[in-house]
Amino acid sequence: MKRILNFERISVDDGNVCRHCEEQLRRAYEKLELAKEELEFLERPKRSIIVSFPVKMDSGKTRTFTGYRVHYNDARGPTKGGLRFHPELSLEDVKNLAYLMALKCAVVNIPFGGAKGGIVVNPKELSERELENLTRGYVRAILDYLGPMKDVPAPDIYTDEKIMAWIMDEYEKASGIHSPAVVTGKPIELGGCSTRAIATSLGGSYVMGEIMRYMRLDKRKLTVAIQGFGNVGGNIAKILYENGIKVISVSDSTGGILNEEGLDIPRVIKHKKGTGRVTGFKGANEITNKELLALDCDILIPAALSDQITSENADDVRAKVILELANAPINVEADDILFEKGVFVVPDILSNAGGVVLSYLEWAQNLTGDYWSEDRIVKRLKEIMTTAVREVYGQCEPLNCNMRVSAHYLAVKRILRAEKLRGNFV
Ligand code: NAD
Protein backbone atom coordinates (compact mmCIF):
# COMPACT_ATOMS: atom_id res chain seq x y z
CA MET A 1 0.00 0.00 0.00
CA LYS A 2 1.48 3.37 -0.98
CA ARG A 3 2.14 5.48 2.07
CA ILE A 4 2.22 9.25 2.11
CA LEU A 5 4.05 11.63 4.37
CA ASN A 6 2.93 15.01 5.61
CA PHE A 7 -0.55 14.65 4.25
CA GLU A 8 0.20 15.33 0.63
CA ARG A 9 -3.07 16.81 -0.56
CA ILE A 10 -5.56 14.36 -1.98
CA SER A 11 -7.86 15.83 -4.58
CA VAL A 12 -11.44 15.16 -3.68
CA ASP A 13 -14.67 15.96 -5.40
CA ASP A 14 -16.73 14.29 -2.72
CA GLY A 15 -18.92 16.80 -0.89
CA ASN A 16 -18.97 14.66 2.25
CA VAL A 17 -15.36 15.46 3.23
CA CYS A 18 -15.01 17.12 6.64
CA ARG A 19 -12.50 19.94 6.06
CA HIS A 20 -11.83 20.47 9.77
CA CYS A 21 -11.21 16.77 10.28
CA GLU A 22 -8.82 16.71 7.35
CA GLU A 23 -6.89 19.57 8.98
CA GLN A 24 -6.79 17.87 12.37
CA LEU A 25 -5.65 14.58 10.86
CA ARG A 26 -2.88 16.47 9.11
CA ARG A 27 -1.90 18.08 12.40
CA ALA A 28 -1.90 14.91 14.46
CA TYR A 29 -0.08 12.92 11.85
CA GLU A 30 2.51 15.28 10.53
CA LYS A 31 5.25 13.14 12.04
CA LEU A 32 3.56 9.83 11.36
CA GLU A 33 2.66 7.87 8.29
CA LEU A 34 -0.87 7.14 7.20
CA ALA A 35 -1.86 5.25 4.07
CA LYS A 36 -3.58 7.34 1.42
CA GLU A 37 -6.61 5.03 1.50
CA GLU A 38 -6.84 5.44 5.27
CA LEU A 39 -6.71 9.21 5.06
CA GLU A 40 -9.32 9.28 2.31
CA PHE A 41 -11.55 7.18 4.51
CA LEU A 42 -11.00 9.08 7.77
CA GLU A 43 -11.66 12.55 6.41
CA ARG A 44 -15.25 11.61 5.51
CA PRO A 45 -18.08 10.65 7.83
CA LYS A 46 -19.83 7.39 7.06
CA ARG A 47 -23.19 9.11 6.80
CA SER A 48 -24.37 12.75 6.82
CA ILE A 49 -28.11 13.14 7.13
CA ILE A 50 -29.91 16.43 6.37
CA VAL A 51 -33.62 16.50 7.14
CA SER A 52 -36.35 19.10 6.75
CA PHE A 53 -39.53 18.70 8.73
CA PRO A 54 -42.63 20.74 9.48
CA VAL A 55 -43.54 21.82 13.02
CA LYS A 56 -46.92 23.13 14.18
CA MET A 57 -46.38 26.44 15.97
CA ASP A 58 -48.57 28.01 18.69
CA SER A 59 -49.73 30.63 16.18
CA GLY A 60 -51.53 27.91 14.23
CA LYS A 61 -49.00 28.22 11.39
CA THR A 62 -46.44 25.64 10.30
CA ARG A 63 -42.69 26.25 10.14
CA THR A 64 -40.16 24.01 8.41
CA PHE A 65 -36.88 23.34 10.23
CA THR A 66 -33.57 21.82 9.13
CA GLY A 67 -31.87 19.12 11.17
CA TYR A 68 -28.60 17.25 10.83
CA ARG A 69 -27.24 13.97 12.11
CA VAL A 70 -23.77 12.78 11.20
CA HIS A 71 -22.56 9.26 11.94
CA TYR A 72 -18.81 9.55 11.61
CA ASN A 73 -17.79 5.96 12.13
CA ASP A 74 -19.54 2.92 13.57
CA ALA A 75 -16.90 0.19 13.24
CA ARG A 76 -16.52 -0.05 17.05
CA GLY A 77 -20.21 0.15 18.00
CA PRO A 78 -23.38 2.22 17.62
CA THR A 79 -22.67 5.89 16.98
CA LYS A 80 -22.83 8.17 20.02
CA GLY A 81 -22.96 11.93 20.34
CA GLY A 82 -24.85 14.99 21.44
CA LEU A 83 -27.78 16.82 19.92
CA ARG A 84 -27.47 20.60 19.72
CA PHE A 85 -30.18 23.20 19.08
CA HIS A 86 -28.50 26.33 17.74
CA PRO A 87 -29.38 29.00 15.15
CA GLU A 88 -25.87 29.00 13.66
CA LEU A 89 -25.38 25.25 13.43
CA SER A 90 -23.82 24.08 10.14
CA LEU A 91 -23.32 20.63 8.67
CA GLU A 92 -19.54 21.19 8.72
CA ASP A 93 -19.66 21.88 12.50
CA VAL A 94 -21.67 18.73 13.03
CA LYS A 95 -19.22 16.65 10.97
CA ASN A 96 -16.29 17.99 12.96
CA LEU A 97 -17.99 17.33 16.30
CA ALA A 98 -18.97 13.81 15.17
CA TYR A 99 -15.33 13.13 14.25
CA LEU A 100 -14.19 14.27 17.71
CA MET A 101 -16.79 11.99 19.31
CA ALA A 102 -15.50 9.03 17.27
CA LEU A 103 -11.96 9.78 18.50
CA LYS A 104 -13.10 10.33 22.09
CA CYS A 105 -14.97 7.01 22.27
CA ALA A 106 -12.03 5.19 20.72
CA VAL A 107 -9.39 6.78 22.97
CA VAL A 108 -11.22 5.70 26.15
CA ASN A 109 -12.00 2.38 24.46
CA ILE A 110 -15.77 2.27 24.91
CA PRO A 111 -17.83 0.35 22.33
CA PHE A 112 -19.24 3.33 20.47
CA GLY A 113 -18.62 5.08 17.18
CA GLY A 114 -18.99 8.84 16.91
CA ALA A 115 -21.97 11.00 15.97
CA LYS A 116 -23.35 14.48 16.43
CA GLY A 117 -26.56 16.17 15.42
CA GLY A 118 -28.72 19.17 15.81
CA ILE A 119 -31.42 21.47 14.59
CA VAL A 120 -30.92 24.95 13.16
CA VAL A 121 -33.10 26.86 15.62
CA ASN A 122 -32.98 29.38 18.42
CA PRO A 123 -34.77 27.38 21.13
CA LYS A 124 -35.17 30.50 23.27
CA GLU A 125 -37.75 31.75 20.74
CA LEU A 126 -39.94 28.65 21.13
CA SER A 127 -42.61 27.82 23.70
CA GLU A 128 -42.33 24.53 25.58
CA ARG A 129 -44.98 22.96 23.34
CA GLU A 130 -43.19 24.13 20.18
CA LEU A 131 -39.90 22.73 21.53
CA GLU A 132 -41.56 19.38 22.14
CA ASN A 133 -43.15 19.36 18.64
CA LEU A 134 -39.74 20.26 17.17
CA THR A 135 -37.95 17.46 19.05
CA ARG A 136 -40.56 14.86 18.13
CA GLY A 137 -40.54 16.01 14.48
CA TYR A 138 -36.76 15.60 14.33
CA VAL A 139 -36.97 12.09 15.80
CA ARG A 140 -39.56 11.06 13.18
CA ALA A 141 -37.36 12.54 10.44
CA ILE A 142 -34.26 10.52 11.42
CA LEU A 143 -36.09 7.48 12.79
CA ASP A 144 -34.59 4.93 10.40
CA TYR A 145 -31.11 5.86 11.59
CA LEU A 146 -31.80 5.99 15.33
CA GLY A 147 -31.79 3.15 17.87
CA PRO A 148 -29.94 1.62 20.85
CA MET A 149 -27.82 -0.44 18.44
CA LYS A 150 -27.64 2.21 15.69
CA ASP A 151 -27.22 5.73 17.01
CA VAL A 152 -27.65 7.07 20.55
CA PRO A 153 -28.00 10.86 21.08
CA ALA A 154 -27.27 12.78 24.31
CA PRO A 155 -27.68 16.39 25.52
CA ASP A 156 -25.45 19.14 24.14
CA ILE A 157 -25.82 22.91 23.80
CA TYR A 158 -29.43 23.98 24.54
CA THR A 159 -30.71 20.43 24.93
CA ASP A 160 -31.35 18.76 28.27
CA GLU A 161 -32.83 15.73 30.03
CA LYS A 162 -36.40 16.81 29.27
CA ILE A 163 -35.62 16.80 25.54
CA MET A 164 -33.93 13.38 25.91
CA ALA A 165 -37.14 12.04 27.54
CA TRP A 166 -39.21 13.28 24.56
CA ILE A 167 -36.75 11.62 22.15
CA MET A 168 -37.05 8.32 24.00
CA ASP A 169 -40.84 8.56 24.09
CA GLU A 170 -41.20 9.38 20.39
CA TYR A 171 -38.86 6.57 19.44
CA GLU A 172 -40.76 4.09 21.63
CA LYS A 173 -44.11 5.17 20.16
CA ALA A 174 -42.79 4.64 16.62
CA SER A 175 -41.04 1.33 17.33
CA GLY A 176 -43.55 -0.07 19.80
CA ILE A 177 -40.64 -1.27 21.94
CA HIS A 178 -39.52 -0.06 25.34
CA SER A 179 -36.05 1.36 24.51
CA PRO A 180 -34.44 3.52 27.23
CA ALA A 181 -31.02 2.88 25.66
CA VAL A 182 -31.95 4.92 22.57
CA VAL A 183 -30.74 8.08 24.30
CA THR A 184 -28.56 9.00 27.30
CA GLY A 185 -28.72 11.94 29.69
CA LYS A 186 -32.32 11.04 30.57
CA PRO A 187 -34.03 11.89 33.86
CA ILE A 188 -33.07 9.36 36.56
CA GLU A 189 -36.67 8.11 36.78
CA LEU A 190 -36.48 7.07 33.12
CA GLY A 191 -33.16 5.23 33.41
CA GLY A 192 -30.70 8.14 33.64
CA CYS A 193 -27.57 8.21 35.83
CA SER A 194 -27.22 10.39 38.93
CA THR A 195 -23.48 11.05 38.43
CA ARG A 196 -24.00 12.51 34.97
CA ALA A 197 -23.98 16.18 36.00
CA ILE A 198 -20.42 15.94 37.32
CA ALA A 199 -19.09 13.15 35.07
CA THR A 200 -16.91 15.32 32.81
CA SER A 201 -15.27 17.03 35.78
CA LEU A 202 -14.91 13.82 37.77
CA GLY A 203 -13.35 12.10 34.75
CA GLY A 204 -11.04 15.12 34.34
CA SER A 205 -9.96 14.86 37.97
CA TYR A 206 -8.98 11.19 37.45
CA VAL A 207 -6.94 12.15 34.38
CA MET A 208 -5.26 14.89 36.41
CA GLY A 209 -4.49 12.44 39.25
CA GLU A 210 -2.68 10.11 36.84
CA ILE A 211 -0.70 12.95 35.27
CA MET A 212 0.31 14.23 38.73
CA ARG A 213 1.69 10.79 39.49
CA TYR A 214 3.70 10.62 36.24
CA MET A 215 5.09 14.10 36.76
CA ARG A 216 5.66 13.55 40.48
CA LEU A 217 3.64 16.64 41.37
CA ASP A 218 3.03 16.83 45.11
CA LYS A 219 -0.69 17.26 45.85
CA ARG A 220 0.07 19.27 48.99
CA LYS A 221 2.04 21.89 47.08
CA LEU A 222 -0.02 21.93 43.90
CA THR A 223 -1.65 25.13 42.60
CA VAL A 224 -4.47 25.13 40.03
CA ALA A 225 -6.15 27.89 37.98
CA ILE A 226 -9.46 27.26 36.21
CA GLN A 227 -10.95 29.32 33.38
CA GLY A 228 -14.76 28.99 33.36
CA PHE A 229 -17.00 28.36 36.34
CA GLY A 230 -20.02 26.67 34.74
CA ASN A 231 -20.91 23.00 34.85
CA VAL A 232 -17.41 21.72 34.07
CA GLY A 233 -15.24 24.47 35.66
CA GLY A 234 -17.38 24.80 38.81
CA ASN A 235 -17.52 21.06 39.42
CA ILE A 236 -13.81 20.43 38.89
CA ALA A 237 -13.04 23.30 41.29
CA LYS A 238 -15.30 21.67 43.90
CA ILE A 239 -13.83 18.19 43.38
CA LEU A 240 -10.24 19.46 43.66
CA TYR A 241 -11.05 21.55 46.75
CA GLU A 242 -12.69 18.51 48.40
CA ASN A 243 -9.52 16.54 47.65
CA GLY A 244 -7.32 19.08 49.41
CA ILE A 245 -5.90 20.66 46.23
CA LYS A 246 -5.33 24.41 46.22
CA VAL A 247 -7.37 26.21 43.55
CA ILE A 248 -5.83 29.68 43.45
CA SER A 249 -7.88 31.23 40.66
CA VAL A 250 -11.20 30.79 38.83
CA SER A 251 -13.05 32.92 36.29
CA ASP A 252 -16.22 33.31 34.28
CA SER A 253 -17.28 35.66 31.48
CA THR A 254 -17.18 38.62 33.92
CA GLY A 255 -13.50 38.09 34.85
CA GLY A 256 -11.40 36.17 37.36
CA ILE A 257 -10.48 36.05 41.04
CA LEU A 258 -7.13 35.13 42.58
CA ASN A 259 -6.02 34.14 46.06
CA GLU A 260 -2.55 32.63 46.13
CA GLU A 261 -3.31 30.97 49.48
CA GLY A 262 -6.19 29.07 47.83
CA LEU A 263 -9.83 30.00 47.24
CA ASP A 264 -12.62 28.81 49.51
CA ILE A 265 -14.49 27.10 46.65
CA PRO A 266 -17.78 26.34 48.49
CA ARG A 267 -17.99 30.06 49.33
CA VAL A 268 -17.17 31.02 45.71
CA ILE A 269 -19.97 28.69 44.53
CA LYS A 270 -22.37 30.32 47.00
CA HIS A 271 -21.30 33.78 45.82
CA LYS A 272 -21.74 32.76 42.15
CA LYS A 273 -25.21 31.36 42.90
CA GLY A 274 -26.19 34.57 44.66
CA THR A 275 -24.75 37.11 42.22
CA GLY A 276 -24.43 35.18 38.97
CA ARG A 277 -20.67 35.88 38.77
CA VAL A 278 -17.38 34.99 40.47
CA THR A 279 -16.11 38.57 40.47
CA GLY A 280 -16.94 40.63 43.54
CA PHE A 281 -15.98 37.71 45.80
CA LYS A 282 -14.53 38.91 49.11
CA GLY A 283 -11.24 37.20 49.96
CA ALA A 284 -9.63 37.40 46.54
CA ASN A 285 -8.15 39.91 44.12
CA GLU A 286 -9.73 40.47 40.76
CA ILE A 287 -7.83 39.56 37.60
CA THR A 288 -8.72 39.35 33.92
CA ASN A 289 -9.19 36.11 32.02
CA LYS A 290 -6.01 36.96 30.12
CA GLU A 291 -4.09 37.23 33.42
CA LEU A 292 -5.55 33.94 34.64
CA LEU A 293 -4.19 32.12 31.59
CA ALA A 294 -0.71 33.51 32.33
CA LEU A 295 -0.66 32.70 36.06
CA ASP A 296 2.34 31.02 37.62
CA CYS A 297 0.67 27.76 38.67
CA ASP A 298 1.20 24.03 38.29
CA ILE A 299 -1.99 23.15 36.44
CA LEU A 300 -4.13 25.37 34.21
CA ILE A 301 -7.61 24.09 33.36
CA PRO A 302 -9.39 25.85 30.49
CA ALA A 303 -13.08 24.96 31.03
CA ALA A 304 -14.91 27.69 29.12
CA LEU A 305 -14.62 28.31 25.39
CA SER A 306 -12.54 27.15 22.43
CA ASP A 307 -9.52 29.10 21.07
CA GLN A 308 -8.54 30.70 24.39
CA ILE A 309 -4.81 30.05 24.01
CA THR A 310 -3.53 31.20 20.63
CA SER A 311 -0.23 32.40 19.13
CA GLU A 312 -1.04 35.76 20.81
CA ASN A 313 -0.79 34.51 24.40
CA ALA A 314 0.76 31.00 24.31
CA ASP A 315 4.18 32.43 25.18
CA ASP A 316 2.73 33.96 28.36
CA VAL A 317 1.58 30.61 29.76
CA ARG A 318 3.57 29.68 32.88
CA ALA A 319 1.68 26.56 33.98
CA LYS A 320 3.52 23.22 33.89
CA VAL A 321 0.45 21.29 32.77
CA ILE A 322 -2.70 22.24 30.84
CA LEU A 323 -5.72 19.98 31.27
CA GLU A 324 -8.13 20.75 28.42
CA LEU A 325 -11.62 20.34 29.83
CA ALA A 326 -13.16 22.73 27.28
CA ASN A 327 -13.27 21.52 23.69
CA ALA A 328 -10.35 22.87 21.64
CA PRO A 329 -9.25 25.68 24.02
CA ILE A 330 -5.78 25.73 22.39
CA ASN A 331 -5.44 26.48 18.68
CA VAL A 332 -2.95 24.80 16.32
CA GLU A 333 -0.26 27.50 16.44
CA ALA A 334 -0.43 27.76 20.23
CA ASP A 335 -0.13 24.00 20.58
CA ASP A 336 3.24 24.08 18.81
CA ILE A 337 4.46 27.02 20.92
CA LEU A 338 3.45 25.26 24.16
CA PHE A 339 5.18 22.07 23.06
CA GLU A 340 8.40 24.02 22.37
CA LYS A 341 8.11 25.65 25.82
CA GLY A 342 7.77 22.23 27.45
CA VAL A 343 4.21 22.73 28.72
CA PHE A 344 2.56 19.33 29.16
CA VAL A 345 -0.85 19.49 27.42
CA VAL A 346 -3.47 16.84 28.14
CA PRO A 347 -5.80 16.92 25.10
CA ASP A 348 -9.57 17.42 25.22
CA ILE A 349 -10.46 14.07 23.63
CA LEU A 350 -8.91 12.40 26.67
CA SER A 351 -9.40 14.95 29.50
CA ASN A 352 -13.08 15.65 28.95
CA ALA A 353 -14.23 12.15 27.93
CA GLY A 354 -15.82 11.49 31.37
CA GLY A 355 -19.25 12.60 30.10
CA VAL A 356 -19.37 10.10 27.25
CA VAL A 357 -18.00 7.35 29.48
CA LEU A 358 -20.91 7.94 31.84
CA SER A 359 -23.28 7.86 28.85
CA TYR A 360 -21.83 4.45 28.03
CA LEU A 361 -22.53 3.24 31.59
CA GLU A 362 -26.10 4.59 31.39
CA TRP A 363 -26.64 2.84 28.03
CA ALA A 364 -25.19 -0.45 29.34
CA GLN A 365 -27.49 -0.36 32.38
CA ASN A 366 -30.52 0.43 30.19
CA LEU A 367 -29.72 -2.52 27.90
CA THR A 368 -29.33 -5.03 30.72
CA GLY A 369 -31.90 -3.62 33.15
CA ASP A 370 -29.27 -4.04 35.88
CA TYR A 371 -28.97 -0.66 37.66
CA TRP A 372 -25.77 0.01 39.58
CA SER A 373 -24.99 1.85 42.82
CA GLU A 374 -23.33 5.24 42.51
CA ASP A 375 -20.12 3.79 43.98
CA ARG A 376 -19.95 1.15 41.28
CA ILE A 377 -20.55 3.72 38.52
CA VAL A 378 -17.83 6.04 39.85
CA LYS A 379 -15.37 3.15 40.25
CA ARG A 380 -15.91 2.06 36.63
CA LEU A 381 -15.58 5.65 35.38
CA LYS A 382 -12.25 5.95 37.18
CA GLU A 383 -11.03 2.62 35.82
CA ILE A 384 -11.86 3.56 32.21
CA MET A 385 -10.34 7.05 32.44
CA THR A 386 -7.11 6.01 34.15
CA THR A 387 -6.58 3.11 31.74
CA ALA A 388 -6.93 5.53 28.81
CA VAL A 389 -4.39 7.96 30.35
CA ARG A 390 -1.91 5.14 30.84
CA GLU A 391 -2.33 3.99 27.25
CA VAL A 392 -1.96 7.48 25.77
CA TYR A 393 0.98 8.38 28.01
CA GLY A 394 2.65 5.03 27.40
CA GLN A 395 2.83 5.68 23.65
CA CYS A 396 4.45 9.14 23.88
CA GLU A 397 7.98 7.87 24.37
CA PRO A 398 8.05 5.12 21.70
CA LEU A 399 6.36 7.43 19.20
CA ASN A 400 8.39 10.47 20.32
CA CYS A 401 5.29 12.65 20.40
CA ASN A 402 3.13 14.66 22.76
CA MET A 403 -0.12 13.55 24.43
CA ARG A 404 -2.33 15.09 21.73
CA VAL A 405 -0.66 13.24 18.88
CA SER A 406 -0.57 10.06 20.95
CA ALA A 407 -4.31 10.27 21.78
CA HIS A 408 -5.28 10.91 18.15
CA TYR A 409 -2.96 8.16 16.99
CA LEU A 410 -4.39 5.63 19.46
CA ALA A 411 -7.97 6.53 18.54
CA VAL A 412 -7.45 6.45 14.79
CA LYS A 413 -5.53 3.18 14.95
CA ARG A 414 -8.36 1.60 16.98
CA ILE A 415 -10.96 2.74 14.45
CA LEU A 416 -8.89 1.53 11.50
CA ARG A 417 -8.15 -1.78 13.24
CA ALA A 418 -11.89 -2.38 13.70
CA GLU A 419 -12.47 -1.60 10.01
CA LYS A 420 -9.65 -3.98 9.04
CA LEU A 421 -11.02 -6.80 11.22
CA ARG A 422 -14.37 -6.31 9.51
CA GLY A 423 -12.58 -6.80 6.18
CA ASN A 424 -13.04 -3.25 4.96
CA PHE A 425 -9.31 -2.54 4.62
CA VAL A 426 -6.39 -4.74 3.62
P1 NAD B 1 -21.26 26.22 30.89
O1 NAD B 1 -22.06 27.04 29.96
O2 NAD B 1 -21.92 25.55 32.05
O3 NAD B 1 -20.04 27.09 31.48
C1 NAD B 1 -19.22 27.89 30.70
C2 NAD B 1 -18.45 28.82 31.61
O4 NAD B 1 -17.54 29.59 30.81
C3 NAD B 1 -19.31 29.83 32.35
O5 NAD B 1 -18.82 29.97 33.66
C4 NAD B 1 -19.09 31.13 31.57
O6 NAD B 1 -19.28 32.29 32.36
C5 NAD B 1 -17.64 30.95 31.19
N1 NAD B 1 -17.25 31.84 30.11
C6 NAD B 1 -17.94 32.23 29.02
N2 NAD B 1 -17.22 33.10 28.29
C7 NAD B 1 -16.03 33.22 28.93
C8 NAD B 1 -14.86 33.97 28.68
N3 NAD B 1 -14.77 34.75 27.61
N4 NAD B 1 -13.83 33.84 29.54
C9 NAD B 1 -13.92 33.03 30.63
N5 NAD B 1 -15.00 32.33 30.92
C10 NAD B 1 -16.05 32.42 30.08
O7 NAD B 1 -20.52 25.14 29.95
P2 NAD B 1 -19.88 23.75 30.39
O8 NAD B 1 -20.88 22.66 30.21
O9 NAD B 1 -19.20 23.92 31.70
O10 NAD B 1 -18.80 23.54 29.23
C11 NAD B 1 -17.54 24.22 29.25
C12 NAD B 1 -16.65 23.66 28.17
O11 NAD B 1 -16.48 22.26 28.37
C13 NAD B 1 -17.17 23.80 26.74
O12 NAD B 1 -16.07 23.96 25.89
C14 NAD B 1 -17.82 22.45 26.47
O13 NAD B 1 -17.88 22.18 25.09
C15 NAD B 1 -16.83 21.55 27.19
N6 NAD B 1 -17.37 20.24 27.54
C16 NAD B 1 -18.44 20.13 28.37
C17 NAD B 1 -18.93 18.88 28.71
C18 NAD B 1 -20.07 18.74 29.67
O14 NAD B 1 -20.31 17.61 30.12
N7 NAD B 1 -20.75 19.81 30.05
C19 NAD B 1 -18.33 17.72 28.17
C20 NAD B 1 -17.22 17.86 27.32
C21 NAD B 1 -16.75 19.13 27.02
Side-chain angles (χ1 to χ4, degrees), residues 45-326:
K46 173 171 183 172
R47 183 179 295 120
S48 297
I49 307 163
I50 308 178
V51 291
S52 304
F53 54 97
V55 176
K56 281 184 192 146
M57 309 302 281
D58 292 347
S59 63
K61 296 203 166 121
T62 301
R63 252 179 83 185
T64 298
F65 289 88
T66 301
Y68 304 116
R69 189 75 188 164
V70 172
H71 300 167
Y72 210 94
N73 184 272
D74 63 356
R76 307 182 72 256
T79 53
K80 182 90 196 78
L83 182 68
R84 174 175 294 200
F85 289 178
H86 200 276
E88 278 148 34
L89 189 70
S90 73
L91 183 58
E92 177 64 23
D93 293 340
V94 179
K95 283 184 191 174
N96 187 33
L97 293 164
Y99 167 74
L100 290 175
M101 282 306 298
L103 294 185
K104 213 177 270 193
C105 294
V107 88
V108 291
N109 211 5
I110 54 176
F112 282 139
K116 204 78 178 188
I119 302 176
V120 184
V121 61
N122 182 355
K124 291 179 185 163
E125 290 171 357
L126 302 187
S127 69
E128 171 126 342
R129 188 164 53 175
E130 289 170 337
L131 195 62
E132 181 173 348
N133 289 345
L134 177 86
T135 306
R136 290 184 186 274
Y138 175 79
V139 172
R140 288 193 297 274
I142 62 158
L143 197 62
D144 289 347
Y145 298 101
L146 194 63
M149 285 299 161
K150 287 185 185 174
D151 177 34
V152 184
D156 196 80
I157 294 174
Y158 295 142
T159 56
D160 56 14
E161 60 172 38
K162 183 171 60 184
I163 290 173
M164 298 306 116
W166 291 332
I167 293 176
M168 183 189 89
D169 185 68
E170 192 63 26
Y171 179 82
E172 290 186 350
K173 282 192 171 113
S175 64
I177 300 168
H178 187 63
S179 313
V182 71
V183 75
T184 59
K186 298 176 292 292
I188 294 171
E189 299 87 334
L190 294 177
C193 247
S194 59
T195 326
R196 190 185 163 85
I198 60 160
T200 302
S201 309
L202 198 54
S205 74
Y206 296 142
V207 173
M208 188 175 133
E210 280 298 291
I211 299 299
M212 279 163 57
R213 239 167 27 86
Y214 301 150
M215 300 189 71
R216 296 198 170 81
L217 294 172
D218 183 351
K219 176 176 153 178
R220 289 161 304 178
K221 295 185 193 147
L222 204 73
T223 53
V224 179
I226 303 170
Q227 186 197 33
F229 206 67
N231 180 309
V232 175
N235 278 315
I236 186 101
K238 186 163 177 272
I239 293 165
L240 298 183
Y241 178 87
E242 285 168 356
N243 279 281
I245 290 173
K246 205 194 275 182
V247 178
I248 59 166
S249 185
V250 298
S251 71
D252 60 19
S253 56
T254 67
I257 51 174
L258 168 70
N259 181 340
E260 273 156 12
E261 300 308 312
L263 292 162
D264 183 338
I265 296 298
R267 278 188 54 222
V268 179
I269 291 171
K270 206 168 156 203
H271 170 78
K272 169 94 179 167
K273 270 196 187 132
T275 63
R277 56 201 183 96
V278 295
T279 45
F281 176 72
K282 288 195 185 74
N285 297 322
E286 303 219 341
I287 58 168
T288 63
N289 265 293
K290 193 169 171 234
E291 286 165 338
L292 180 145
L293 297 173
L295 281 177
D296 187 7
C297 61
D298 295 303
I299 301 187
L300 173 64
I301 306 183
L305 310 170
S306 56
D307 290 328
Q308 293 302 292
I309 304 176
T310 65
S311 54
E312 299 282 300
N313 61 351
D315 239 346
D316 303 335
V317 170
R318 285 187 287 163
K320 293 189 185 81
V321 176
I322 301 181
L323 185 76
E324 291 187 321
L325 287 194

Side-chain angles (χ1 to χ4, degrees), residues 7 21-32 324 328 330-336 345 402 404-405 408:
F7 284 75
C21 310
E22 189 191 6
E23 223 176 274
Q24 287 168 60
L25 282 161
R26 199 182 299 267
R27 173 185 174 190
Y29 283 87
E30 62 185 9
K31 290 198 191 103
L32 304 166
E324 291 187 321
I330 301 174
N331 79 3
V332 184
E333 295 78 26
D335 212 32
D336 293 340
V345 176
N402 63 19
R404 191 183 308 282
V405 173
H408 280 241

